Amino acid sequence: MSNQDDLDWIDRIENPIMGKVKTRWPDWRCTQELTSNTRPVRKAEKLRGQKVEPLAYYGHHTPFTTDTDGNQWAIMTSNKVSAYRMNALGSLFITMIWFGLYLFALYHGEKDSLGMLYLSLVFFIPALYWIIQARRHGEDKWVVFDRRPGNVCFWDKEGKRSLTVPFEQVNCYWTPVFRRGLSHNFYFMPMVNLPNERHRWWQVYMGFPSDYTQAQYYWSVITAFMDNSKPLPMVAGLYHHLIWMERNGYTLDDITHGGKSATEEELYEIFEEVEAKTEVETNKARNLLKGTKHFSASALIDFYKHAPGYANEEVLTTISIFILHGISSLKHSSLMRDVDFMESLTMEVYCREMCKLIQFFGPLVNADMAAKGKTKEEEGEEGQFLVDLNALDDIYYEGQAVLSAFKRMMFQPEHFNADGIIELYQNTPHFIAHILETSILAQVELAVRDMVESGDMMFGFEERITREPYCKELNKLLQFFGRVNNANLDRSRVKNPSRYMDLDALDAIDYEGLDADIEALLSSYNRIVSDAEHFKADSIIELYQNTSNFIAIVLEREILSQVRWSVREIVESGRMIFGFEGKTTREAYCKELNKLLQFFGQIENAKMEREGYTDPNDYMDLHALDDLDMIPRP
């Protein structure tokens, strides 16, 4: 049998004798005017109980009473009627025992049984007194919180004993006690009293806070309710109750004097509606958490601040899980949350935004977990975890320093140093080294490809360093990090050969005197194209064909650039190369230029086709000069 069943049986015994407990609701006007004749509480510090401090954030809770219309909130307090009824019931029980013994003795002919009758009368007289008191009194002491003026009334059925004070002068206490199967241990006490009182220490029946954190929750809800500068606290129970009242047009009198109360069906319907609205808000949060270029911690924080109160718990859960998974990915594998983020954000931006989320939402999640009794890094009831507010400090701040050092040694010609980059990588903590490794591999692969395919160094290096030292340092990086990359792919059993780095990619390049050879070759080419009398396509083609493979790439780029420009000039404006006018005919010039277009155009178009280009504008037009009239004019 449950505690509630026990109470129902007691009521069935008490009510025929003492009548049902009468409820005398307070005068709702009692909060309008403050009590003027008051004095400070005496010896409040000697009262038992722990003073309750409200929480900055609250989430988990047990049910509480909601006799409120959103403006006034009435909370019943302990009074003498319960004591009257219990005393009367106890006295009647003892009276019945002694009277029963008297009848038993009288039935068996005992002559000295009058003493039992007298004892039954002794207990019956106080029982009669308690019964009369119980029938006269009822639930007639209330604490009324009024949100509009910000006042609290400690209301007594005797109007002259009511006390109204500002909310700021009311304290809350919690004590661990146990009565009739339920904990009644929540107290309100004003800091001032009537002149003839020592203190007004009123036990209230708002809910049953079994521990201090639950008491904090109740007091936090009351504190938020009384702050009329903010919306009503949208917490479960209170929010559903207010929706039900608004939907039915009920007032405070309807739910108190009128006895109106929501049915289970009505509350379930409201619950379903709120759940649907909450799901909409949660989906909005999930969309903001997707890996796009517009991923922003500030946008998420702003969304949470303006989200409806009923959705706060679910939205916070969604964000907290995202944060914990993000921290785990960075800590254990130095990766972003998922592929979308990797494609849209740099690691620097991602870590910065994650740090902002942790600093804002971390304290909220931890406060909610503390309210749920979770004090370790373990999973909560709603899938939340305690958040380490410093989880990314070592990654973000130390990682920034490491990446800055890498960028200096990789992208500044005067500091370009393969040994320094390798040493930096080897001396960096694992989780940061993985981030650094990703950046280095991407840069080395790009630099090697540019050097092999076009002879280009990294931007800004051309005028400040020669290719010989550049290629030597680049080859050191290729040998070290290429092996790191290929070993990682082997461990992952990757079968795609294109993902492996070619460690011999730079071997065909002769570093010794490379820049001098390139300069000499380009000088020979410039002599041919700058002298109209010696401008011969066959000479340029022969020079290209007799050049070593790597240097030919550099020459090819120069020739293609010159051919494109020359063809465009002759087609669009009829102009030849500067200095050729008067020294050669257009017919001869166009024939030589067309030879170059056919030879190098085919080379370029074949390359474009191999690389998968599909736009016709990317290809060279081999017939660009076909329609030109190359007959010399008189």
Side-chain angles (χ1 to χ4, degrees):
M1 185 178 292
S2 65
N3 291 329
Q4 186 60 47
D5 291 335
D6 291 338
L7 296 176
D8 290 341
W9 276 106
I10 293 173
D11 289 338
R12 290 177 185 179
I13 297 172
E14 289 180 347
N15 290 345
I17 301 171
M18 291 168 274
K20 292 184 178 180
V21 177
K22 299 176 182 178
T23 301
R24 295 181 176 88
W25 296 99
D27 180 357
W28 306 121
R29 297 170 297 176
C30 67
T31 58
Q32 301 305 308
E33 294 184 8
L34 299 174
T35 303
S36 56
N37 188 18
T38 60
R39 62 164 181 78
V41 172
R42 298 176 187 175
K43 299 182 179 179
E45 68 279 359
K46 293 186 177 181
L47 294 174
R48 71 186 187 281
Q50 183 178 359
K51 185 178 179 181
V52 178
E53 298 295 340
L55 297 167
Y57 171 79
Y58 48 88
H60 177 64
H61 66 89
T62 54
F64 50 83
T65 59
T66 53
D67 293 323
T68 175
D69 61 353
N71 292 314
Q72 290 182 301
W73 193 336
I75 300 176
M76 187 175 66
T77 73
S78 177
N79 51 66
K80 294 180 179 180
V81 68
S82 296
Y84 292 153
R85 294 171 73 89
M86 290 303 298
N87 290 339
L89 194 62
S91 298
L92 282 175
F93 181 72
I94 298 174
T95 298
M96 291 173 64
I97 291 176
W98 284 114
F99 188 69
L101 291 173
Y102 166 72
L103 292 178
F104 182 81
L106 188 63
Y107 178 78
H108 288 84
E110 294 288 340
K111 296 181 180 180
D112 299 329
S113 59
L114 289 177
M116 299 179 189
L117 179 62
Y118 295 149
L119 285 173
S120 66
L121 291 174
V122 167
F123 283 96
F124 178 73
I125 293 172
L128 185 61
Y129 171 79
W130 299 128
I131 290 172
I132 294 172
Q133 292 297 324
R135 297 183 73 91
R136 288 178 54 195
H137 294 82
E139 304 291 2
D140 50 18
K141 292 174 70 176
W142 299 83
V143 180
V144 182
F145 292 87
D146 196 328
R147 174 181 170 85
R148 291 166 297 190
N151 297 334
V152 182
C153 177
F154 289 75
W155 185 83
D156 193 292
K157 69 181 180 64
E158 299 177 13
K160 62 181 180 180
R161 290 190 54 78
S162 294
L163 173 69
T164 302
V165 298
F167 176 69
E168 293 76 15
Q169 293 187 1
V170 178
N171 290 325
C172 177
Y173 294 86
W174 176 82
T175 60
V177 296
F178 193 78
R179 296 179 184 173
R180 291 184 67 183
L182 296 172
S183 296
H184 300 286
N185 49 5
F186 205 46
Y187 293 80
F188 295 149
M189 190 182 78
M191 297 165 61
V192 296
N193 286 317
L194 297 175
N196 58 346
E197 289 181 312
R198 185 177 183 184
H199 52 67
R200 190 167 288 218
W201 171 260
W202 281 16
Q203 183 186 58
V204 296
Y205 299 153
M206 179 181 177
F208 306 108
S210 57
D211 53 44
Y212 178 72
T213 56
Q214 284 291 294
Q216 280 187 295
Y217 172 78
Y218 289 151
W219 187 234
S220 299
V221 173
I222 292 294
T223 302
F225 177 84
M226 290 299 290
D227 187 352
N228 55 23
S229 66
K230 299 178 181 178
L232 286 167
M234 294 301 177
V235 295
L238 176 61
Y239 179 72
H240 296 79
H241 168 78
L242 293 176
I243 291 179
W244 170 77
M245 286 195 64
E246 181 180 3
R247 182 170 295 178
N248 291 279
Y250 290 149
T251 64
L252 190 57
D253 281 331
D254 291 324
I255 64 172
T256 53
H257 296 88
K260 301 291 186 181
S261 61
T263 64
E264 290 186 7
E265 291 77 12
E266 289 175 315
L267 289 178
Y268 182 77
E269 182 182 348
I270 293 172
F271 175 80
E272 290 291 315
E273 291 179 8
V274 172
E275 283 291 298
K277 293 179 181 178
T278 300
E279 184 64 24
V280 171
E281 297 300 320
T282 304
N283 287 334
K284 291 179 182 178
R286 291 193 184 104
N287 290 333
L288 290 173
L289 290 169
K290 290 182 178 179
T292 67
K293 295 180 180 179
H294 305 292
F295 172 65
S296 168
S298 300
L300 269 168
I301 292 170
D302 185 66
F303 170 77
Y304 178 79
K305 287 180 177 179
H306 295 90
Y310 58 79
N312 280 348
E313 183 76 11
E314 288 298 323
V315 170
L316 184 63
T317 298
T318 301
I319 295 174
S320 71
I321 293 174
F322 173 86
I323 290 173
L324 266 297
H325 288 181
I327 292 174
S328 177
S329 295
L330 287 170
K331 282 282 191 182
H332 298 147
S333 58
S334 301
L335 296 175
M336 298 188 202
R337 179 70 169 77
D338 54 39
V339 176
D340 289 339
F341 285 100
M342 297 178 191
E343 295 177 349
S344 305
L345 302 174
T346 64
M347 182 61 74
E348 180 180 358
V349 172
Y350 178 76
C351 286
R352 183 179 67 240
E353 296 302 308
M354 286 295 295
C355 283
K356 290 180 182 178
L357 291 179
I358 290 172
Q359 295 308 311
F360 180 83
F361 290 104
L364 300 183
V365 173
N366 293 347
D368 189 41
M369 295 295 288
K372 296 174 181 177
K374 302 289 183 179
T375 57
K376 299 179 181 179
E377 292 188 6
E378 55 183 325
E379 186 174 356
E381 295 176 7
E382 303 298 331
Q384 295 178 1
F385 298 77
L386 288 175
V387 177
D388 179 4
L389 302 184
N390 302 311
L392 296 186
D393 285 359
D394 48 2
I395 294 178
Y396 181 66
Y397 296 108
E398 188 175 347
Q400 291 302 302
V402 170
L403 290 175
S404 296
F406 161 68
K407 291 176 181 178
R408 183 175 64 255
M409 288 187 284
M410 189 73 193
F411 300 113
Q412 295 181 12
E414 61 272 21
H415 297 110
F416 184 52
N417 184 347
D419 292 332
I421 294 173
I422 293 171
E423 182 180 2
L424 176 69
Y425 170 78
Q426 291 175 326
N427 295 327
T428 299
H430 171 71
F431 50 84
I432 301 176
H434 190 88
I435 300 173
L436 180 62
E437 177 187 309
T438 303
S439 299
I440 294 175
L441 287 173
Q443 192 59 46
V444 170
E445 188 174 13
L446 177 63
V448 170
R449 184 170 62 249
D450 285 346
M451 176 56 66
V452 171
E453 294 181 358
S454 62
D456 286 340
M457 294 189 284
M458 287 186 288
F459 179 77
F461 278 59
E462 292 284 349
E463 298 178 357
R464 307 180 68 176
I465 187 174
T466 64
R467 282 177 174 78
E468 181 177 350
Y470 176 82
C471 287
K472 286 181 178 179
E473 296 300 315
L474 185 58
N475 195 46
K476 287 182 183 179
L477 293 176
L478 174 62
Q479 298 307 311
F480 183 88
F481 290 102
R483 287 184 172 88
V484 171
N485 175 74
N486 295 347
N488 290 339
L489 294 177
D490 287 339
R491 283 194 296 271
S492 302
R493 298 182 179 180
V494 175
K495 298 181 180 180
N496 185 358
S498 65
R499 295 187 58 185
Y500 285 79
M501 296 181 71
D502 181 6
L503 304 184
D504 303 322
L506 298 177
D507 290 355
I509 301 176
D510 183 7
Y511 307 144
E512 300 294 335
L514 177 62
D515 285 271
D517 293 342
I518 293 175
E519 186 174 351
L521 177 66
L522 294 178
S523 295
S524 299
Y525 167 70
N526 288 330
R527 281 197 302 270
I528 296 174
V529 298
S530 62
D531 186 353
E533 296 178 1
H534 297 91
F535 180 60
K536 298 295 182 182
D538 292 336
S539 299
I540 296 174
I541 294 171
E542 182 180 2
L543 178 67
Y544 171 78
Q545 291 175 329
N546 293 331
T547 302
S548 62
N549 190 39
F550 172 72
I551 302 179
I553 294 174
V554 180
L555 179 61
E556 178 187 311
R557 184 181 60 184
E558 290 291 327
I559 295 174
L560 285 171
S561 175
Q562 184 70 44
V563 170
R564 282 195 182 95
W565 182 82
S566 299
V567 170
R568 184 171 62 250
E569 287 292 302
I570 197 68
V571 171
E572 295 180 357
S573 61
R575 289 197 296 266
M576 295 187 286
I577 297 174
F578 179 75
F580 277 49
E581 295 286 346
K583 295 182 179 182
T584 185
T585 64
R586 278 181 171 76
E587 181 181 6
Y589 174 78
C590 287
K591 284 182 178 179
E592 298 300 319
L593 184 60
N594 195 46
K595 287 182 182 180
L596 294 176
L597 174 61
Q598 298 305 312
F599 183 85
F600 290 100
Q602 290 180 22
I603 293 176
E604 176 68 4
N605 290 348
K607 177 182 176 183
M608 299 296 286
E609 188 173 353
R610 285 195 305 272
E611 294 179 358
Y613 285 84
T614 57
D615 188 350
N617 295 322
D618 293 327
Y619 289 78
M620 294 183 70
D621 182 5
L622 302 183
H623 303 289
L625 301 178
D626 289 356
D627 297 330
L628 290 182
D629 181 9
M630 294 182 285
I631 300 174
R633 296 179 177 83

